[in-house]
């Protein structure tokens, strides 16, 4: 297992209102010391996701991963504009969470912009676990087998896999990277419920994951 704190072997839904995350001292160049990471904040324009439409006219918060951290998304263009929009915002869900993990900053506005309810609480617990462990990560995560299922009532389910064998744990204070061979736990299966809000943004409302998922392993 290359990067994830052991406490989150499986990311379960939680109702804990952990929406304000305490940051540890030290980091990857953007450290704010003992400032708190918050889900809410001001909005700025975001560079379009590779699979996102630039014409949706939504004022989106910026998401910027640090140097050395890369998320690679396979697929994203299904031929169905609605499904493509859902996949594009699902990318932003993922990137907003990983930005909060890897960038020490007082606020992460994208987090609350793209997640709400149980998903936001689950994400807060996931993110906080890295700070509690004094770690972040570097490297590359590949997301693949991404599928959208439209549900009754207007919601959607997005399922996908990740390959984290090239993502490595990094000590927040020293910057030392722990490189180890990948194993079965580095292949993770995800299921996310997405709902469209009044601004036209597809937000994650529920998140579940399973580490070591056989269907995601080569």
């Amino acid at each position: 297992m290359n990067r994830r704190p052991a406490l989150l072997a499986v990311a379960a839904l939680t109702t804990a209102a952990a929406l304000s995350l305490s940051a540890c001292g030290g980091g990857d160049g953007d450290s704010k010391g003992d400032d708190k990471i918050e889900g809410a904040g001001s909005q700025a324009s975001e560079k379009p996701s590779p699979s996102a439409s630039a014409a949706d006219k939504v004022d989106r918060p910026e998401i910027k991963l640090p140097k050395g951290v890369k998320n690679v998304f396979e697929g994203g263009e299904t031929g169905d504009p609605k499904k493509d929009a859902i996949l594009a915002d699902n990318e932003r869900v993922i990137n907003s969470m990983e930005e909060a993990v890897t960038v020490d900053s007082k606020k992460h506005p994208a987090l609350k912009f793209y997640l709400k309810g149980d998903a936001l609480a689950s994400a807060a617990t996931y993110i906080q676990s890295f700070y509690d462990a004094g770690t972040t990560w570097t490297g590359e995560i590949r997301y693949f087998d991404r599928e959208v299922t439209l549900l009754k009532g207007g919601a959607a389910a997005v399922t996908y896999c990740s390959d984290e064998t090239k993502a490595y744990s990094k000590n927040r204070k020293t910057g030392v990277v722990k490189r180890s061979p990948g194993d079965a736990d580095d292949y993770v299966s995800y299921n996310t419920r997405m709902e469209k809000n009044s601004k036209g943004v597809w937000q994650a409302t529920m998140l579940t994951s399973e580490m070591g998922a056989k269907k995601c392993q080569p």
Side-chain angles (χ1 to χ4, degrees), residues 72-74 94 141-147 158-164 186-191 210 213-217:
V72 176
F73 298 92
E74 296 184 356
I94 296 167
I141 298 177
R142 180 173 64 95
Y143 295 92
F144 59 100
D145 288 352
R146 302 163 65 211
E147 296 184 1
V158 181
T159 58
Y160 54 96
C161 292
S162 72
D163 173 358
E164 302 183 3
D186 292 315
Y187 295 93
V188 187
S189 172
Y190 293 88
N191 192 333
E210 178 189 355
K214 290 184 178 181
K215 69 177 183 178
C216 297
Q217 297 177 31

Side-chain angles (χ1 to χ4, degrees), residues 121-186:
S122 294
T125 301
Y126 163 76
I127 295 160
Q128 184 65 50
S129 69
F130 282 88
Y131 286 89
D132 289 346
T135 63
T136 178
W137 67 275
T138 189
E140 178 180 302
I141 298 177
R142 180 173 64 95
Y143 295 92
F144 59 100
D145 288 352
R146 302 163 65 211
E147 296 184 1
V148 178
T149 302
L150 302 179
L151 307 175
K152 292 181 180 179
V158 181
T159 58
Y160 54 96
C161 292
S162 72
D163 173 358
E164 302 183 3
T165 57
K166 295 181 180 179
Y168 306 101
S169 178
K170 180 179 178 180
N171 187 288
R172 299 193 91 88
K173 180 177 287 189
T174 66
V176 173
V177 177
K178 183 179 180 181
R179 297 184 182 274
S180 58
D183 59 28
D185 279 346
D186 292 315

